[in-house]
Amino acid sequence: MDKPFTVLDLLDMDLKGHNALNLRCLAGRKGLNRTISVPDINRPGLELSGFYDSFDCDRVQLFGHGETAYLLKLKKEKKSSSIEKLFSYNIPCVVFTHSLEPDEFFLEIAEKNGCAVLQTSLESSEFSMRLLRVFSNIFAPKKTLHGVLVEVYGIGILLMGHSGVGKSECALELVERGHRLVADDIVQIRCVNGNSVLGQGANTFISHHMEIRGLGIINVSQLYGVGSIREQKEVQLIIKLEEWDQNKIYDRIGTDQTSTDLLGVKVPTIEIPVRPGRNLPIIIEAAAMNERLKAMGYNSARDFNQNILKWIESGEAQTTYYGSDDSY
């Protein structure tokens, strides 16, 4: 993360639909600048009962029906020490689910200790899932790359190569053929769940604009419609475009499985040499379909090798090369 993520940042997040947290602040606005450093949740049932050993005080504290009912019990018994001790720790914030509201005494202690008390209309389980999903995006390792990210036949392909090799022109042709652009020039990637890499434009305002040398800046969504773009996509294949080198030996069968490490995730990688006359969009489409076949368990290169070995073992290869007439 470039800067600390605060409770105010959480409150101000513009999330829509099934991602919305529906949060509002009930008290303790002084604590909105507190930092959320641990992307997890704690339900302080044991702590309210007086057991503070191994208290995860650096997590967001979640109060559901059970915790709120226990607060009412403490109020009737006039036991406030557990609540005061809870707020003596530097907890990031407190969230009440189900639109539950704490009593005035709880809010007064929170206000006195400068801790924000938030409320959501969501159920505890649903809010927990949404909040953890938000945290997985915010706290995920990130980096930016120079390249173009496109979606071809459902496969997220990151086009990489030296400036001027033709990445943007190739992506434009793919969009023309019905595929989708995710980001051009600067791609921000982040590792999610430790096993997948999501890519999107580093700047959401310009990510769907494209620079074409000799033409200038174009807006892909305006030219080709909103169906030609996508906000983010998992990077499932890296294609490195490079100028054709006569002295370099390129893989002609596809048995060499190479990969690139992106934030600790191995992403399959292929190199495609660029030279006049090569139809790169068609080659990239074939690469995307081949990657889908691999995901389904079929490997064309491996199957080709196995068929060749069977052909050699059957003896037909000798007949083909030498023939039945060995007088020559």
Side-chain angles (χ1 to χ4, degrees), residues 191-242:
C191 180
V192 179
N193 298 326
N195 57 6
S196 61
V197 177
L198 291 182
Q200 63 182 35
N203 188 321
T204 56
F205 296 103
I206 64 174
S207 60
H208 297 133
H209 291 71
M210 185 178 287
E211 178 194 357
I212 304 296
R213 285 174 173 80
L215 182 61
I217 304 296
I218 62 172
N219 188 324
V220 174
S221 62
Q222 292 294 326
L223 282 175
Y224 297 97
V226 294
S228 65
I229 61 173
R230 180 165 180 161
E231 294 301 322
Q232 66 177 12
K233 178 63 181 176
E234 181 183 356
V235 180
Q236 298 160 287
L237 178 66
I238 296 175
I239 294 182
K240 294 182 178 180
L241 303 179
E242 61 177 43

Side-chain angles (χ1 to χ4, degrees), residues 118-307:
L118 310 181
Q119 181 194 66
T120 178
S121 58
L122 299 173
E123 296 180 355
S124 298
S125 57
E126 180 65 24
F127 176 77
S128 299
M129 288 189 294
R130 295 189 186 190
L131 184 60
L132 292 176
R133 191 160 59 234
V134 168
F135 283 162
S136 68
N137 289 329
I138 295 204
F139 289 88
K142 297 182 178 69
K143 70 180 298 186
T144 56
L145 300 172
H146 176 66
V148 181
L149 182 58
V150 290
E151 182 192 58
V152 181
Y153 294 130
I155 299 294
I157 299 179
L158 179 62
L159 302 178
M160 303 184 71
H162 295 299
S163 180
V165 77
K167 299 184 297 296
S168 296
E169 290 82 355
C170 185
L172 184 62
E173 175 65 22
L174 287 169
V175 171
E176 178 72 29
R177 296 170 69 90
H179 306 293
R180 295 197 282 183
L181 173 72
V182 182
D184 178 62
D185 196 28
I186 303 298
V187 180
Q188 182 186 76
I189 60 171
R190 66 182 188 277
C191 180
V192 179
N193 298 326
N195 57 6
S196 61
V197 177
L198 291 182
Q200 63 182 35
N203 188 321
T204 56
F205 296 103
I206 64 174
S207 60
H208 297 133
H209 291 71
M210 185 178 287
E211 178 194 357
I212 304 296
R213 285 174 173 80
L215 182 61
I217 304 296
I218 62 172
N219 188 324
V220 174
S221 62
Q222 292 294 326
L223 282 175
Y224 297 97
V226 294
S228 65
I229 61 173
R230 180 165 180 161
E231 294 301 322
Q232 66 177 12
K233 178 63 181 176
E234 181 183 356
V235 180
Q236 298 160 287
L237 178 66
I238 296 175
I239 294 182
K240 294 182 178 180
L241 303 179
E242 61 177 43
E243 298 288 346
W244 188 292
D245 185 356
Q246 294 183 354
N247 299 318
K248 183 174 181 178
I249 300 176
Y250 295 100
D251 185 13
R252 300 182 62 180
I253 299 178
T255 54
D256 296 337
Q257 299 291 330
T258 59
S259 62
T260 300
D261 188 287
L262 293 182
L263 299 174
V265 179
K266 299 291 185 181
V267 181
T269 303
I270 59 177
E271 293 181 346
I272 297 181
V274 178
R275 69 184 303 180
R278 300 203 83 195
N279 194 325
L280 290 180
I282 289 181
I283 296 174
I284 292 173
E285 285 181 336
M289 289 187 286
N290 192 46
E291 193 63 28
R292 292 190 65 178
L293 279 176
K294 288 181 181 179
M296 296 169 63
Y298 178 79
N299 189 308
S300 301
R302 186 178 60 221
D303 188 62
F304 176 79
N305 271 350
Q306 291 175 350
N307 289 335

